[in-house]
C-alpha cells in the first residue's frame, strides 16, 4: 500500500498449482519484500512452485525435496513489474516435510528463516546441531546469502520431542534470536 493506505503500490501472486502458504513477510532496507512459507505439492502434479535466481547461479534448491511440503523463500523488488519483480525464489527442504514460520532480513539483504523440519537430511551449513534430534519434527534456523543461491548457516535445533521455531529476529551483528517451543 502507499504511505496513506489509500492505494496499492505493488501486488503479486506466487505459487504452484496446488496449496501454497505464505506464513511470513519481511521488508529490507531497500524496500524489497520477502515472503516465506511452505508449498504443498509434493509430486509437482499441479505445476511446481516457481524458482528463480538473480544471476547465472541456480536457485539454492530448484526441486521439491520430498514429503508433504517444502519450505520456500522469495524476494520481490516492488519497483519492477511482471516477472522481473521476482528477484529470487528457492525451495528449502529434505526428504520429509518443512515449513517456514518467520523471516527477517538484515542490512546486507540476507534472509534468515526459522520453522520446522521432519527431514533427517534437511540442508545444513556450519551447523550448531548437525543431526536430526528426533521426535516428529525439529526446529531449524537458516541464513541465506544475499543472492538466495546459497546458505551461509543452517542448523537443526531440537531433541526427542516435537520442536518448532516460531519467531526470529537478528541484531546488527547478525546474531539471531529465536522463539518457539518443544511439545
Amino acid at each position: 500500500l502507499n504511505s496513506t493506505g489509500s492505494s496499492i503500490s505493488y501486488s503479486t501472486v506466487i505459487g504452484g498449482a496446488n496449496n501454497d502458504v505464505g506464513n511470513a513477510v519481511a521488508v529490507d532496507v531497500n524496500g524489497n519484500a520477502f515472503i516465506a512459507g511452505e508449498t504443498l505439492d509434493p509430486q509437482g502434479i499441479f505445476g511446481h512452485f516457481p524458482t528463480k535466481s538473480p544471476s547465472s547461479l541456480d536457485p539454492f534448491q530448484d526441486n521439491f525435496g520430498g514429503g508433504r511440503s517444502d519450505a520456500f523463500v522469495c524476494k520481490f523488488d516492488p519497483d519492477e513489474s511482471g516477472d522481473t519483480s521476482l528477484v529470487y525464489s528457492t525451495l528449502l527442504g529434505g526428504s520429509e516435510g518443512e515449513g517456514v514460520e518467520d523471516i527477517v532480513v538484515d542490512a546486507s539483504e540476507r534472509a534468515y528463516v526459522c520453522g520446522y523440519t521432519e527431514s533427517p537430511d534437511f540442508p545444513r551449513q556450519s551447523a550448531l546441531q548437525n543431526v536430526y534430534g528426533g521426535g516428529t519434527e525439529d526446529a531449524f534456523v537458516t541464513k541465506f546469502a544475499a543472492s538466495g543461491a546459497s546458505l551461509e548457516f543452517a542448523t537443526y535445533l531440537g531433541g526427542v520431542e516435537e520442536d518448532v521455531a516460531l519467531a526470529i529476529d537478528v541484531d546488527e551483528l547478525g546474531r539471531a534470536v529465536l522463539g518457539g517451543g518443544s511439545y
Side-chain angles (χ1 to χ4, degrees):
L1 299 176
N2 67 7
S3 62
T4 64
S6 61
S7 68
I8 296 173
S9 299
Y10 177 83
S11 177
T12 192
V13 175
I14 190 164
N18 203 353
N19 295 333
D20 303 298
V21 180
N23 290 330
V25 176
V27 177
D28 71 14
V29 295
N30 295 313
N32 296 305
F34 292 73
I35 185 170
E38 58 190 285
T39 180
L40 305 169
D41 188 10
Q43 302 303 317
I45 294 169
F46 301 103
H48 292 284
F49 190 89
T51 58
K52 179 182 178 183
S53 179
S55 64
S56 61
L57 301 171
D58 290 331
F60 169 71
Q61 186 175 329
D62 204 19
N63 295 310
F64 196 86
R68 64 178 175 75
S69 62
D70 264 4
F72 69 82
V73 179
C74 303
K75 177 182 178 180
F76 294 92
D77 181 347
D79 293 331
E80 298 292 329
S81 63
D83 291 343
T84 59
S85 71
L86 180 59
V87 177
Y88 75 74
S89 177
T90 187
L91 296 171
L92 175 65
S95 60
E96 300 299 328
E98 282 83 26
V100 170
E101 298 294 337
D102 200 12
I103 185 171
V104 66
V105 181
D106 69 16
S108 298
E109 299 184 44
R110 295 175 297 201
Y112 298 66
V113 296
C114 68
Y116 71 90
T117 180
E118 301 164 349
S119 299
D121 56 351
F122 183 80
R124 295 165 314 282
Q125 177 68 39
S126 304
L128 172 68
Q129 180 182 335
N130 203 33
V131 178
Y132 186 78
T136 56
E137 58 190 41
D138 270 5
F140 74 82
V141 61
T142 300
K143 175 183 175 183
F144 282 90
S147 69
S150 63
L151 302 180
E152 293 187 6
F153 179 80
T155 190
Y156 291 112
L157 296 168
V160 297
E161 301 298 327
E162 178 181 343
D163 306 297
V164 63
L166 297 170
I168 188 168
D169 201 2
V170 175
D171 70 13
E172 60 279 348
L173 299 176
R175 296 178 295 205
V177 177
L178 299 172
S182 181
Y183 309 98

